[in-house]
C-alpha cells in the first residue's frame, strides 16, 4: 500500500496523519505519470481540491492508469468549499486545522474501477 500526494508538504502531512508510506509527485502533471514500484497493489491518492479542478483530474488520470495495470486506487479529496480568493485546499491545510482526525477512512474514498 502506498499513498501519493501532489506536493512534498502535503505528502508529509499525509504520512503524519495516516502512517502510510507516502510519495510526493511534485506537481499535478507529474502525478498523472507517476510509476509505482512492482508489488504495490493499492494506492491512496490524496488529491488537492483546486478551484479549477486540476488536482482531482490528475488523481483520476493516475487512478485509471493504475487500474489498467491491476493496482487498486482510491482518491481522497478534502471536503468543503474552496475559500474565495484561494487557489484550493490541500491535505496539509486539513492536517493543520483538524489533525489526523480530518482524514477520511478508506471506506470513504472514491473507488476507481478498471
Amino acid at each position: 500500500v502506498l499513498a501519493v500526494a501532489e506536493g512534498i508538504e502535503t505528502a508529509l502531512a499525509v504520512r503524519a496523519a495516516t502512517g502510510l508510506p507516502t510519495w510526493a509527485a511534485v506537481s499535478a502533471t507529474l502525478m498523472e505519470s507517476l510509476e509505482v514500484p512492482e508489488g504495490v497493489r493499492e494506492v491512496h491518492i490524496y488529491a488537492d481540491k483546486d478551484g479549477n479542478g486540476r488536482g482531482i483530474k490528475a488523481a483520476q488520470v493516475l487512478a485509471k492508469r493504475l487500474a489498467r495495470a491491476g493496482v487498486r486506487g482510491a482518491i481522497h479529496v478534502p471536503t468543503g468549499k474552496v475559500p474565495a480568493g484561494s487557489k484550493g485546499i490541500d491535505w496539509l491545510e486539513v492536517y493543520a486545522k483538524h489533525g489526523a482526525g480530518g482524514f477520511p477512512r478508506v471506506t470513504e474514498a472514491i473507488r476507481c474501477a478498471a
Side-chain angles (χ1 to χ4, degrees):
V1 177
L2 178 67
V4 175
E6 196 171 312
I8 191 161
E9 295 91 349
T10 305
L12 290 169
V14 170
R15 170 71 175 159
T18 67
L20 292 172
T22 308
W23 283 9
V26 180
S27 70
T29 300
L30 292 175
M31 179 181 277
E32 292 175 343
S33 61
L34 186 83
E35 296 288 336
V36 299
E38 201 170 305
V40 172
R41 298 288 174 244
E42 185 169 343
V43 176
H44 291 267
I45 305 164
Y46 288 83
D48 289 359
K49 186 176 189 178
D50 300 317
N52 64 8
R54 180 68 179 112
I56 295 169
K57 180 180 180 272
Q60 291 169 333
V61 168
L62 174 59
K64 286 177 186 174
R65 196 169 46 72
L66 291 172
R68 285 192 301 269
V71 178
R72 289 183 299 171
I75 299 173
H76 305 277
V77 181
T79 59
K81 292 185 178 186
V82 174
S86 173
K87 178 185 170 246
I89 305 168
D90 65 26
W91 289 101
L92 174 59
E93 293 165 315
V94 172
Y95 187 71
K97 188 172 184 179
H98 304 287
F103 281 65
R105 294 180 300 162
V106 173
T107 56
E108 297 169 351
I110 301 168
R111 288 287 180 189
C112 299

